[in-house]
């Protein structure tokens, strides 16, 4: 595939679509199909405006719309660069590690917590096991392409698996559970949103107050027992969930 050049952009000043939107749409398409790869730098606004015979405010608005979509980023002293496009994850019984691997990415993990601890009231309630005395608590930051995507917290009943940090870095949680003979059957999941805390911002390379997607999931095995409870946060600028709807009427 030949490299993308600004001259490929064609605008119709008499068309119904605003000029900035025409420019943004075509740059976005070049990012999505790989003509503008991750890390590529765009010409500055003045040069783009001159090449396309458009005003600088029009180009600025086009670039800002792509920044808002998470496709471009402005870096002081560097200029405007393409960033990795959003990870669009289907809502299904799979781990983030599984989904990233299927997309051809190489997931990376930093293990922050991997320990057995006394089961508190919240863990007992979420794991639906009144007599539980200890749980394994996990906290990891999942990244791809050098960019953090999510902070993942999990409770598991103690003794279900005993993963080393190296295993948690190299494999997904569901992969480890399946390898231990756990047959995942169903899950209840809730997706929401909130703003980034100071800790979130530091771990996810975002600003405090940035929009984050949240997900809480309770996963059951074939016998109906809870095998893990997870509460995760995702960068909204780099991540989305896909949901398919059907009409059963």
């Amino acid at each position: 595939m030949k490299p993308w050049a600004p001259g490929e952009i064609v605008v119709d000043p008499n068309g119904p679509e605003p000029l900035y939107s025409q420019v943004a749409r075509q740059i976005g398409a070049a990012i999505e199909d790989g003509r503008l790869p991750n890390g590529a730098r765009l010409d500055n606004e003045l040069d783009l405006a001159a090449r396309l015979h458009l005003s600088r405010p029009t180009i600025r608005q086009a670039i800002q719309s792509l920044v808002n979509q998470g496709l471009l980023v402005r870096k002081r002293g560097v200029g405007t660069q393409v960033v990795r496009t959003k990870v669009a994850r289907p809502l299904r019984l799979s781990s983030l590690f599984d989904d990233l691997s299927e997309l051809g990415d190489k997931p990376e993990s930093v293990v922050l917590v991997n320990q057995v601890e006394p089961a508190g009231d919240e863990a007992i309630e979420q794991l639906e096991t009144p007599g539980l005395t200890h749980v394994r608590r996990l906290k990891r930051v999942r990244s791809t392409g050098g960019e953090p995507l999510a902070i993942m917290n999990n409770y598991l009943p103690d003794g279900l698996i005993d993963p080393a940090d190296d295993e948690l870095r190299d494999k997904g949680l569901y992969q480890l559970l399946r390898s231990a003979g756990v047959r995942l059957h169903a899950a209840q999941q809730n997706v929401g949103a909130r703003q980034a805390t100071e800790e979130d911002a530091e771990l996810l390379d975002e600003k405090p107050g940035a929009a984050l997607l949240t997900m809480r999931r309770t996963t059951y095995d074939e016998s109906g027992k809870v095998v893990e409870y997870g509460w995760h946060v995702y960068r909204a600028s780099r991540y989305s969930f896909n949901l398919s709807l059907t009409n059963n009427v």
Side-chain angles (χ1 to χ4, degrees):
M1 183 180 294
K2 67 178 183 178
W4 178 86
E8 296 181 24
I9 296 176
V10 178
V11 296
D12 179 5
N14 298 316
E17 185 181 12
L19 294 177
Y20 85 88
S21 180
Q22 294 182 47
V23 174
R25 173 173 49 78
Q26 292 175 71
I27 294 176
I31 294 172
E32 294 290 351
D33 65 22
R35 285 176 291 151
L36 269 174
N38 189 42
R41 285 194 292 180
L42 264 63
D43 292 344
N44 62 50
E45 293 176 1
L46 283 174
D47 288 343
L48 280 175
R51 282 173 176 263
L52 300 176
H53 306 289
L54 296 171
S55 69
R56 186 177 181 182
T58 295
I59 297 300
R60 183 181 299 118
Q61 190 173 4
I63 289 175
Q64 186 60 49
S65 70
L66 293 168
V67 170
N68 294 341
Q69 294 174 50
L71 298 178
L72 295 177
V73 63
R74 289 189 172 103
K75 295 183 178 180
R76 187 180 300 275
V78 176
T80 303
Q81 278 187 298
V82 175
V83 294
R84 181 175 293 272
T85 56
K86 278 188 176 183
V87 174
R89 181 182 182 187
L91 285 175
R92 61 179 182 175
L93 189 51
S94 62
S95 70
L96 177 56
F97 187 98
D98 295 335
D99 293 331
L100 290 173
S101 297
E102 286 187 14
L103 290 170
D105 292 321
K106 182 175 175 55
E108 303 154 355
S109 297
V110 175
V111 179
L112 302 177
V113 177
N114 175 22
Q115 64 187 31
V116 174
E117 58 186 43
D121 292 341
E122 180 187 13
I124 292 172
E125 178 182 358
Q126 299 298 343
L127 293 175
E128 301 177 13
T129 311
L132 192 65
T133 59
H134 288 80
V135 296
R136 178 168 295 276
R137 182 166 69 91
L138 306 175
K139 183 173 183 178
R140 296 157 292 157
V141 176
R142 182 80 81 214
S143 303
T144 183
E147 286 193 75
L149 284 181
I151 303 169
M152 302 180 297
N153 296 276
N154 297 87
Y155 284 140
L156 295 89
D158 180 31
L160 194 61
I161 57 173
D162 184 20
D165 286 1
D166 286 347
E167 291 180 289
L168 291 170
R169 281 191 286 266
D170 296 337
K171 298 178 181 179
L173 178 58
Y174 283 8
Q175 185 179 357
L176 293 172
L177 287 168
R178 290 191 294 265
S179 296
V182 178
R183 299 178 66 87
L184 306 176
H185 177 65
Q188 293 184 344
Q189 182 164 282
N190 176 270
V191 177
R194 66 172 173 81
Q195 293 181 318
T197 64
E198 293 282 350
E199 181 186 10
D200 296 332
E202 182 177 356
L203 292 176
L204 294 175
D205 194 21
E206 288 280 4
K207 294 181 180 180
L212 301 178
L213 293 171
T214 65
M215 188 270 285
R216 292 180 178 270
R217 177 187 282 184
T218 305
T219 306
Y220 302 84
D221 66 10
E222 288 187 329
S223 69
K225 293 181 180 179
V226 177
V227 293
E228 69 96 14
Y229 169 72
W231 65 105
H232 307 161
V233 293
Y234 304 84
R235 299 175 70 183
S237 61
R238 301 288 182 270
Y239 199 86
S240 64
F241 290 104
N242 284 342
L243 177 63
S244 297
L245 303 176
T246 57
N247 185 0
N248 294 320
V249 178

